[in-house]
């Protein structure tokens, strides 16, 4: 090749390398451009509030004067807010109450949604799509509305269940000190069983048909297929729904707050979230409330971590 030909080809080669660099930069920047709005909202609505809450939990605000008219000062409080939160017997009792609630309610709900999912995905199930929609429908009802609806079945004089039981000589008190916790558990189970069932159904649909055909060839019946094939293969979905339920248990707020108007047994610190809400907006102690919120998150993380470790050991 002559020198003139090389000089003529060199600009094209240079332009080609520039275009490749631009396309490389574009391919690297394109995902970040698409993720930018989501990341901005995620940081502003999730990460930033967590950072502010942690910072507030280590801060003490002092108001000078009767109403703070002489100024407000803030100082680093170390762990004094956490100590004050842990000294609150009602807050500690609410955590213990939710642990008992979770042991019973989560176990019943996971068992119920698993049975429903297995029944709907069985070969003999009729109208599975219709029943999936029916079971999932309660999840679409807000917790406040669901609690109001169920309160009509709990309040004496309004509840047909209480009236019928009273006519038969049976006294039912759904809102008593010993039963109101399980009345709340009934509302939560009714609301979230369909949601967890859909997660398990999605995992069941991921099982290849060849597995079922092989089981039929081996002569496996429905119960053997359920216990030896389906349950082991939907284990990730069961773990996921259980972890979600553990976290949701400690976040229980709307149901007891609404039911509090008709249930004297529910006080302002009946659940951990309700206790933090009362500390912040009734006692105006936002720093201690932030410490309570951080403690709730730590307990939820610890319980989820312990559950995951136990399940991983059992699997290994």
């Amino acid at each position: 090749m002559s020198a003139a030909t090389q000089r003529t080809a060199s600009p094209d080669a240079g332009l080609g390398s520039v275009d490749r660099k631009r396309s490389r930069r574009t391919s690297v920047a394109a995902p970040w451009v698409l993720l930018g709005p989501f990341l901005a909202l995620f940081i502003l609505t999730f990460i930033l509030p967590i950072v502010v809450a942690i910072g507030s939990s280590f801060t003490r605000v002092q108001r000078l004067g009767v109403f703070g008219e002489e100024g407000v000062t803030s100082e680093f409080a170390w762990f004094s807010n956490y100590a004050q939160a842990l000294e609150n017997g009602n807050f500690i009792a609410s955590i213990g109450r939710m642990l008992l609630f979770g042991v019973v309610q989560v176990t019943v709900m996971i068992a119920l949604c698993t049975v429903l999912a297995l029944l709907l995905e069985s070969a003999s199930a009729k109208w599975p799509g219709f029943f999936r929609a029916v079971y999932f429908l309660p999840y679409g009802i807000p917790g406040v509305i669901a609690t109001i609806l169920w309160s009509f079945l709990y309040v004496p004089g309004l509840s047909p269940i209480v009236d019928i039981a009273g006519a038969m000589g049976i006294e039912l008190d759904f809102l008593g000190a010993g039963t109101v916790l399980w009345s709340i558990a009934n509302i939560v189970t009714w609301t979230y069983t369909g949601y967890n069932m859909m997660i398990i159904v999605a995992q069941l649909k991921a099982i290849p048909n060849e597995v079922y055909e092989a089981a039929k060839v081996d002569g496996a019946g429905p119960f053997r297929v359920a216990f030896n094939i389906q349950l082991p293969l939907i284990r990730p979905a069961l773990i996921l729904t259980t972890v979600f339920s553990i976290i949701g248990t400690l976040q229980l707020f709307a149901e007891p707050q609404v039911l509090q108007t008709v249930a004297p047994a529910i006080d302002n610190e009946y659940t951990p979230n309700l206790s933090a809400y009362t500390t912040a907006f009734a006692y105006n102690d936002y720093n201690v409330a932030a410490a309570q919120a951080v403690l709730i998150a730590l307990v939820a993380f610890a319980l989820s971590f312990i559950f995951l470790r136990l399940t991983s050991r059992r699997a290994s």
Side-chain angles (χ1 to χ4, degrees):
M1 183 182 294
S2 64
T5 306
Q6 290 180 353
R7 285 195 298 268
T8 305
S10 59
D12 294 336
L15 288 174
S17 62
V18 171
D19 291 339
R20 282 195 296 270
K21 289 180 181 179
R22 287 178 180 174
S23 63
R24 223 180 271 124
R25 291 174 183 173
T26 303
S27 62
V28 172
W32 293 106
V33 172
L34 296 174
L35 289 174
F38 167 77
L39 291 176
L41 289 174
F42 181 76
I43 293 172
L44 290 175
T45 61
F46 187 79
I47 300 298
L48 186 60
I50 292 177
V51 173
V52 172
I54 295 175
S56 298
S57 67
F58 289 99
T59 306
R60 177 181 297 165
V61 176
Q62 293 183 345
R63 293 173 175 82
L64 304 178
V66 179
F67 300 103
E69 67 277 2
E70 297 181 8
V72 178
T73 60
S74 60
E75 59 182 8
F76 189 71
W78 294 97
F79 292 96
S80 62
N81 291 326
Y82 290 92
Q84 187 174 343
L86 294 174
E87 289 173 358
N88 185 351
N90 293 328
F91 176 67
I92 300 300
S94 69
I95 294 179
R97 188 179 295 115
M98 287 301 98
L99 292 178
L100 174 63
F101 178 92
V103 169
V104 178
Q105 189 271 331
V106 172
T107 303
V108 171
M109 182 177 63
I110 296 301
L112 181 59
C113 67
T114 303
V115 170
L116 290 176
L118 292 175
L119 290 176
L120 289 177
E121 290 303 308
S122 64
S124 59
K126 294 182 179 180
W127 306 311
F130 170 76
F131 285 104
R132 278 197 298 267
V134 170
Y135 294 143
F136 184 75
L137 184 62
Y139 179 72
I141 301 175
V144 174
I145 304 300
T147 306
I148 294 173
L149 293 175
W150 276 98
S151 66
F152 289 111
L153 300 177
Y154 291 157
V155 177
L158 295 177
S159 172
I161 299 176
V162 175
D163 293 340
I164 294 172
M168 299 174 60
I170 302 174
E171 294 186 3
L172 294 178
D173 186 9
F174 293 112
L175 303 177
T179 56
V180 68
L181 182 64
W182 311 120
S183 297
I184 298 173
N186 175 66
I187 299 174
V188 175
T189 303
W190 178 81
T191 302
Y192 291 98
T193 296
Y195 170 78
N196 293 320
M197 180 200 70
M198 294 301 292
I199 297 176
I200 298 173
V201 166
Q203 185 78 58
L204 284 171
K205 288 186 176 298
I207 300 176
N209 291 327
E210 291 79 6
V211 176
Y212 294 114
E213 293 174 358
K216 288 181 181 179
V217 172
D218 292 339
F223 289 100
R224 188 177 174 187
V225 170
F227 283 99
N228 294 340
I229 296 176
Q230 291 177 318
L231 286 178
L233 292 178
I234 63 173
R235 185 172 172 274
L238 295 176
I239 293 175
L240 179 66
T241 53
T242 303
V243 170
F244 283 169
S245 301
I246 291 172
I247 297 173
T249 295
L250 291 170
Q251 294 178 346
L252 193 64
F253 178 77
E255 290 82 1
Q257 187 189 39
V258 175
L259 210 59
Q260 186 181 23
T261 58
V262 294
I266 300 178
D267 57 22
N268 291 329
E269 296 181 283
Y270 194 75
T271 67
N273 262 0
L274 199 55
S275 178
Y277 177 85
T278 301
T279 302
F281 298 104
Y283 304 146
N284 292 324
D285 199 339
Y286 299 99
N287 303 112
V288 176
Q292 289 177 322
V294 173
L295 289 173
I296 294 169
L298 290 176
V299 172
F301 173 79
L303 293 176
S304 301
F305 179 78
I306 292 171
F307 174 76
L308 292 174
R309 287 297 299 269
L310 291 176
T311 52
S312 64
R313 284 183 181 180
R314 189 172 299 176
S316 60

